[in-house]
Amino acid sequence: MNNTAIIPLEARTELLKLRLLYLLSGLAGGLFNPYLTTLFVHQGIGANVVGVLMSIGTLLSIVVQPVWGLMVDRYRQTKLVLLLSISVPAVLSCLYGFKYTAIIIMVYILSIVFQATQSPVADSYAVTAARKGRTSYGTIRSLGSLGTAIGGYAGGFYLSHFEITQLWMPFLFLSLGGAATVLTLSRSTERTAAAISLSQGMKELLGNRLFVLFLVACFFVNQTLTAYNSFFVLAFQEAGGSYSLVGTALLLASLTNIPSMLLAARILKRIGHERTLLLAAFFYALRWGIQWLFPVPAVMVGIQVLHGLSFGLFYVAAVEYVAEASGKRMQATGQSLFNMVFSGLGGIVGNLLNGYLFYSGGAQMMYLACTVSALIGAGMLYWINRMAKAPV
C-alpha cells in the first residue's frame, strides 16, 4: 500500500492506459492471428505457399523496422508510428474477404509493413512506464496474454457461427479501440522511449558478444513458435480437432501466460535472466516433443499449459534482459533489434521451414524439427549462463 501511495498519479494513469492497450491488442490479435493461415487456405492458397508468404512478410518487417526507427529517432513520432501500426492493418483486414490471391497477398504484406514496429515500440513504452510506476513489465504484458486468451477462445466461438471471411469485423473494432488508447499516452513516456539514434544503438549492442549470442539463441528457440502461431490450427484439424475445441486450446495457452508473466519478476530475481531463459527453452522443447509423440487432439489441448512456461516466461525474461543490456538510452533500439531477430528472422525461418515440413511430412515432422531447434537454443543459453558466471 505504501508503494502505491508514493507512485505519481501520472505514472499510475499511464500504467492503466498501457494495460488497456495490451488488453485490446491481445484481444484483437488472439481473435484474428491464429486463424489467418486457415483463412488463406480457405481462400485457395496452399499451406506451403502460406509459409512462403508469411516468410516474405516477415522479411519485409525486418527491412522496414530500421525505417520506422529512423522516423521515430529523427521526428520523435513514436506515438504516431504506434498508432499507424495498429490502425492500418485493422482497416485493411476487410479486404481478406475477397477471394483473389493478389489482393490477399497485397493486404498481408502491407499489414506486416505497418505491424512490424508495434511490439518493439509498445514494449519500450511498457518498460519505461513500468519503471516509473515501480512495477514489472510482466504486469503490463500479462494483460496482452489475457486478451489473447479471451480472443483465441472468442475466435473459435465466432467461427462456429460465422464464416471465417467475416472474422475481420471484430478484429477491426478491437484494434480501433487500441488505437484510440494510444492517442491518450503521455508525451513524457514517448520521449524517454526513444532517446538515441537507431544506428548508434545497434552498433553499441552488436559490439556486445554476449548479447549477440543471446540473439542467436533466441532465434533457435523462437523459430519453433511458428508451429503454434501459424500452423497449430491446421495441425489440430489434421489430428481431428474441431474449431470449438481449438478455441479452447488457444484460450488455455494464452491463460497460462498470465501467471507466468506475473511471477516472472520473482523468478528473475531468484535465478537470474540467463537461467530463466534456459528453463523456458527447456519447456519449449518439452512442449514440441510431447506433441510429436502424441498427435491426439486431447493431448494437443492439454499440452498448451506449457505455453506460459515456454513463451510467456521466455518473452518476459528476454525483454527484461534486453532492457538491462540496452540501458536507458537505447530502450527502443534494443527492443527493435531483439524483435527483428526474435519475431523477424525467427518468423521467416520458422514459417518457411515449418510450412515446408507440414506440407511434405505433416505435423509430426514439423514438431520433431521444433524439438531439436529448441534444444539447440537451450544449449546456447546454457553456454551464455556459464559465460555470465565466469569471472572477468
Side-chain angles (χ1 to χ4, degrees):
M1 293 294 292
N2 290 338
N3 258 351
T4 305
I6 60 174
I7 298 173
L9 177 61
E10 182 184 352
R12 280 182 282 163
T13 304
E14 198 75 355
L15 284 173
L16 181 62
K17 292 174 183 177
L18 282 164
R19 284 169 178 151
L20 177 60
L21 171 62
Y22 273 81
L23 177 63
L24 290 171
S25 297
L27 282 168
L31 183 141
F32 192 74
N33 294 335
Y35 303 99
L36 192 56
T37 52
T38 309
L39 172 61
F40 288 169
V41 172
H42 178 273
Q43 296 294 70
I45 303 176
N48 59 325
V49 178
V50 169
V52 174
L53 175 60
M54 291 194 164
S55 296
I56 292 172
T58 310
L59 176 61
L60 280 175
S61 75
I62 296 175
V63 173
V64 301
Q65 274 198 52
V67 178
W68 286 120
L70 288 171
M71 179 177 176
V72 169
D73 294 332
R74 184 170 182 178
Y75 300 106
R76 291 295 186 266
Q77 293 297 324
T78 313
K79 185 186 293 188
L80 175 61
V81 169
L82 184 56
L83 182 66
L84 290 173
S85 72
I86 296 173
S87 57
V88 172
V91 173
L92 289 174
S93 65
C94 63
L95 298 176
Y96 283 127
F98 291 94
K99 203 167 185 177
Y100 297 101
T101 302
I103 292 178
I104 292 173
I105 291 175
M106 178 194 69
V107 170
Y108 178 72
I109 289 177
L110 282 174
S111 296
I112 285 295
V113 166
F114 281 92
Q115 258 178 340
T117 192
Q118 182 178 337
S119 290
V121 172
D123 284 344
S124 65
Y125 263 111
V127 169
T128 302
R131 288 176 176 173
K132 286 184 177 179
R134 297 182 178 88
T135 186
S136 68
Y137 163 77
T139 62
I140 300 174
R141 182 59 178 80
S142 62
L143 269 294
S145 293
L146 175 62
T148 302
I150 298 171
Y153 182 78
F157 180 79
Y158 184 89
L159 291 176
S160 298
H161 297 82
F162 299 94
E163 289 289 329
I164 195 168
T165 51
Q166 297 178 332
L167 194 58
W168 65 270
M169 291 187 284
F171 174 67
L172 174 63
F173 175 76
L174 291 166
S175 296
L176 292 181
T181 306
V182 171
L183 291 172
T184 68
L185 295 175
S186 74
R187 299 289 296 181
S188 62
T189 307
E190 177 181 7
R191 286 191 294 270
T192 309
I196 192 172
S197 74
L198 188 73
S199 56
Q200 181 186 346
M202 282 191 173
K203 284 181 183 178
E204 289 188 31
L205 289 171
L206 292 177
N208 183 336
R209 188 176 300 177
L210 206 61
F211 186 78
V212 172
L213 195 59
F214 156 77
L215 291 177
V216 176
C218 287
F219 164 77
F220 275 102
V221 172
N222 195 62
Q223 74 87 10
T224 69
L225 195 61
T226 57
Y228 172 76
N229 290 339
S230 301
F231 298 102
F232 177 73
V233 175
L234 291 173
F236 195 74
Q237 288 178 317
E238 182 185 85
S242 63
Y243 269 134
S244 58
L245 195 56
V246 80
T248 302
L250 295 172
L251 172 67
L252 180 62
S254 296
L255 282 177
T256 60
N257 271 334
I258 300 170
S260 293
M261 290 183 170
L262 289 175
L263 292 172
R266 292 184 181 180
I267 297 172
L268 287 167
K269 283 182 182 178
R270 178 164 295 185
I271 66 176
H273 293 95
E274 294 83 3
R275 286 187 179 181
T276 304
L277 289 165
L278 177 58
L279 180 64
F282 169 76
F283 282 117
Y284 263 106
L286 182 63
R287 172 186 184 180
W288 307 132
I290 292 175
Q291 289 182 90
W292 165 51
L293 293 171
F294 304 100
V296 181
V299 174
M300 294 175 76
V301 172
I303 203 62
Q304 300 311 315
V305 297
L306 291 179
H307 186 70
L309 291 172
S310 53
F311 170 74
L313 193 59
F314 192 97
Y315 189 78
V316 171
V319 168
E320 293 279 5
Y321 181 93
V322 172
E324 186 175 281
S326 302
K328 291 182 179 180
R329 299 181 306 135
M330 298 184 291
Q331 282 302 305
T333 302
Q335 299 302 337
S336 292
L337 185 57
F338 164 66
N339 195 66
M340 286 167 68
V341 174
F342 189 74
S343 300
L345 288 175
I348 289 174
V349 175
N351 280 314
L352 276 174
L353 178 61
N354 290 322
Y356 171 77
L357 292 173
F358 185 89
Y359 180 75
S360 60
Q364 299 319 106
M365 185 180 290
M366 176 180 72
Y367 286 133
L368 173 59
C370 288
T371 304
V372 173
S373 183
L375 288 173
I376 292 173
M380 296 187 71
L381 288 165
Y382 175 75
W383 188 15
I384 292 171
N385 184 49
R386 292 287 300 271
M387 290 174 67
K389 284 185 175 181
V392 180

